[in-house]
Amino acid sequence: MNDIALEPGSFRDRTARVFYHDGKILRGLNSAALNEWRALSVTSFYRRFSQSGGIVSTQQRDLDSVPLSSADLQWAGVLEHETIPFVSYPYEWSFEMLRDAALLQIDLVLAALDEGMSLKDASAYNVQWKGSAPVFVDIASFYKRGAREPWVGYRQFCQMFLYPLLLQAYRDVPFQ
C-alpha cells in the first residue's frame, strides 16, 4: 500500500494527525507539534512511562520514508507509534478500567508538571489498553507549559473521568 489513510477520529488536533501507511501507525506533526515532541522526547518522565508501557512506544521517522500528498506538506515531522492490538472506547470499559485510565492521566500530568510540561486535554479516548494495562496514546497532547499555568485539561478530566466515576461509585449510576 503506497497511499496514506487518515484516521477518521484524529481531526480535532490541528497540529498533528494520525494516519496509516504500510501497516504502520504514524502521526504527522506541524512545526509547533514537532518542537513539543522534541521537548517531550528528552524528558525523564517520558522515557520512564514509555519503558513501563504507560505511554505508547513512539519513534521519530524520516519524512522521506513516508509519501506525503500535497495536502500534507505542512507536516514538519512524522512519528511512528507502536500498534495497539485492540482499540476500545471508554463507553465499553468497566468501572475499574475507567478508574485505571484516570489514574494514568493523573500520573502523567503530575510527572509532566515536574519537568515543565503538561497535557492540553484529558480525553478518555487518549487511553487504550494492552492487556489489562492502560496506555496513553496521544503523544501530541503534551506541551511545554508556561510558569504558573493551570492544567487546561482539568475540566475535561472532570467530565470524562471524575464525574462518571463519582456517579457510579456513590449513586450506582452506570457511567456508560
Side-chain angles (χ1 to χ4, degrees):
M1 168 170 104
N2 290 330
D3 295 325
I4 63 171
L6 295 174
E7 166 57 47
S10 174
F11 62 91
R12 289 180 182 92
D13 187 349
R14 292 185 268 297
T15 67
R17 184 76 192 258
V18 174
F19 63 97
Y20 307 99
H21 174 68
D22 284 341
K24 297 176 183 167
I25 299 173
L26 303 165
R27 183 183 301 265
L29 305 173
N30 72 11
S31 59
L34 181 59
N35 288 334
E36 299 292 2
W37 158 252
R38 288 177 177 149
L40 171 67
S41 66
V42 297
T43 63
S44 61
F45 85 88
Y46 171 76
R47 286 190 301 275
R48 185 174 72 250
F49 278 93
S50 289
Q51 290 169 355
S52 70
I55 294 178
V56 68
S57 179
T58 302
Q59 302 296 321
Q60 187 170 349
R61 294 295 179 227
D62 184 22
L63 273 175
D64 297 332
S65 67
V66 180
L68 302 173
S69 69
S70 60
D72 300 317
L73 290 177
Q74 77 274 9
W75 289 341
V78 174
L79 305 178
E80 181 179 348
H81 299 300
E82 167 192 12
T83 301
I84 303 295
F86 179 78
V87 175
S88 66
Y89 302 97
Y91 55 83
E92 301 171 327
W93 299 348
S94 67
F95 175 87
E96 292 78 13
M97 292 171 79
L98 187 65
R99 180 200 61 213
D100 289 351
L103 291 172
L104 174 63
Q105 285 270 357
I106 293 295
D107 288 345
L108 287 170
V109 168
L110 291 174
L113 288 173
D114 286 342
E115 295 192 53
M117 299 198 79
S118 190
L119 285 167
K120 59 184 167 185
D121 62 16
S123 174
Y125 292 90
N126 291 344
V127 177
Q128 287 299 314
W129 297 86
K130 276 183 75 175
S132 62
V135 180
F136 188 82
V137 297
D138 191 8
I139 296 298
S141 284
F142 288 99
Y143 73 101
K144 292 176 278 189
R145 85 184 255 285
R148 302 180 54 93
E149 177 183 319
W151 179 25
V152 295
Y154 177 71
R155 178 177 181 222
Q156 189 175 34
F157 178 83
C158 291
Q159 291 173 327
M160 298 197 86
F161 292 105
L162 184 61
Y163 300 152
L165 289 168
L166 286 171
L167 280 171
Q168 186 158 346
Y170 293 101
R171 293 290 180 223
D172 204 24
V173 176
F175 71 88
Q176 294 89 347

